[in-house]
Amino acid sequence: MKNINLKSLEAFRAIMQTGSATAAARQLGLTQPGISRLLASLELLVGFQLFYREHSRLIATDEAKLLTSEIDLLLNNADRFLALARNLHKTETGSLTIVAPQSFSSGPLADVVASFIQLYPKISVSIESHSPLTARDLVAQRSIDCGFIQLPENHPGLIVKTMLDSELVCMIPAEHSLNNRTSVNLTDLSHEPLIMLGQGRPSRQKLEKLFQQNGVIPKIRLETHSIATACAYVQRQLGIAIINRVLAQQYLNNQLKLVPLEPTIYHQYGFIYSAYAPIPRLVAVFCQHCTQFFSIND
């Protein structure tokens, strides 16, 4: 059997609605001979006559009446398919899986995803959190669409776009003697119990090098990889946390205060996606949105 021509089905439906080839032609923006050819090709395909002529009108046969509902269903499905395809092209629908450190997900990522969904309310988003090593591999292998990771990053399977800078600050209990300072230096912290994050990571190594250069031996009371945990212990007055400003802001309350650290130490976060395939349309749109969002809200 030959493939069904959607135009011939549209011609059939238009004739059923209007009762004549001329009116059907006007409805579809075709010529009357064009409508007749489409009808003839459909009758050839099904193997029987669909209309008979009575004066100037085309009257549907009983077989044509039985086919009407199925043809309507086919055309409606085709319309839905085209609408979906157009929406996908416009990035109005689809799903996006993003990986990021947990504190980043509940802080700056939450803000940017919320603004993205406002623009594209039919998009579904899934947020995952993995170790940096696992996150890199999952994005490179395209098991996850994209993500955010602390820089520097040199995984060969990733495209990295610098997205966000944030300096280290001190999270201090509100009643602490240092809370009214405009900044705190490493010497000021020499006798303070510290809550430290990211042991073994490049940012932590940079901080430890600065302590050493300033002749300060830090008094580390607690170690953690969780900013939420660090802030919880600061709130209980167990020490001062040296922490990323943009990630720390979500945990601020009247019992905690952020004070800039001197010298300034910056963290950078990058947007990552796989280098092994062209960037998907939705990922590209989300990346562009993130760039604009962080440039405005930095």
Side-chain angles (χ1 to χ4, degrees), residues 100-176:
Q102 190 168 357
S103 295
F104 195 95
S105 295
S106 56
L109 182 59
D111 294 330
V112 74
V113 167
S115 65
F116 187 68
I117 289 176
Q118 283 183 339
L119 292 174
Y120 304 102
K122 295 181 181 179
I123 297 291
S124 63
V125 177
S126 176
I127 308 295
E128 296 192 15
S129 181
H130 296 279
S131 70
L133 181 61
T134 301
R136 293 182 187 102
D137 289 340
L138 288 172
V139 174
Q141 296 162 8
R142 292 182 289 163
S143 298
I144 290 178
D145 296 313
C146 58
F148 286 87
I149 200 160
Q150 189 171 322
L151 303 180
E153 178 55 58
N154 55 9
H155 191 295
L158 295 175
I159 303 294
V160 183
K161 295 184 179 294
T162 302
M163 194 63 66
L164 180 65
D165 291 338
S166 179
E167 70 275 18
L168 288 183
V169 294
C170 294
M171 181 74 86
I172 299 176
E175 297 180 1
H176 196 282

Side-chain angles (χ1 to χ4, degrees), residues 261-281:
L261 177 69
E262 295 290 344
T264 303
I265 303 171
Y266 283 101
H267 283 183
Q268 283 189 318
Y269 287 89
F271 183 91
I272 57 174
Y273 58 92
S274 178
Y276 297 137
I279 183 170
R281 178 183 298 275

Side-chain angles (χ1 to χ4, degrees), residues 24 27 35 70-71 89 94 96 98 108 115 123 139 146 154 166 182 188 202 216 218 250 252 280 282 298:
Q27 180 174 303
I35 288 290
E70 289 299 321
I71 289 177
H89 180 72
L96 193 63
I98 308 165
S115 65
I123 297 291
V139 174
C146 58
N154 55 9
S166 179
T182 56
D188 295 327
V216 176
Q250 61 190 293
L252 277 175
L282 186 54
D298 190 10

